[in-house]
């Protein structure tokens, strides 16, 4: 999994795996999903990041893993 913040393009991109992207779909204004051949989401792009999260400091992103729920 990779996260790329492009301050020049004012966008953030989350790539879930490295499978080939065969289709992209805008699911909300300026939010795109990338799909592989199995129709699985493999990427998420969000444009106009500074308008959506004006106080975001890209150099201070925090990654968190939550514990799995019992029985899942």
């Amino acid at each position: 999994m990779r996260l790329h913040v492009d301050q020049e393009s004012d966008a953030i991109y989350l790539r879930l795996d490295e499978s080939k992207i065969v289709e992209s779909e805008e699911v909300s204004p300026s939010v795109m999903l990338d799909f592989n051949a199995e129709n699985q989401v493999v990427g998420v792009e969000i444009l106009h990041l500074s308008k959506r999260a004006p106080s975001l400091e890209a150099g201070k992103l925090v990654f968190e893993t939550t514990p799995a729920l019992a029985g899942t």
Side-chain angles (χ1 to χ4, degrees):
M1 185 181 313
R2 290 182 292 127
L3 181 67
H4 179 76
V5 177
D6 187 334
Q7 293 178 330
E8 189 172 312
S9 296
D10 198 23
I12 191 167
Y13 184 71
L14 175 63
R15 184 64 189 249
L16 301 173
D17 72 28
E18 296 303 317
S19 59
K20 183 179 178 182
I21 296 168
V22 297
E23 184 179 355
S24 297
E25 179 182 342
E26 187 170 18
V27 294
S28 182
S30 302
V31 178
M32 274 65 74
L33 298 181
D34 292 333
F35 298 89
N36 65 11
E38 289 77 39
N39 204 37
Q40 298 169 322
V41 174
V42 295
V44 180
E45 181 178 38
I46 302 172
L47 304 176
H48 311 296
L49 191 57
S50 63
K51 291 179 184 174
R52 294 171 180 272
S55 62
L56 176 70
E57 294 182 53
K60 295 183 179 180
L61 292 175
V62 176
F63 298 91
E64 185 176 299
T65 302
T66 56
L69 297 175
T72 59

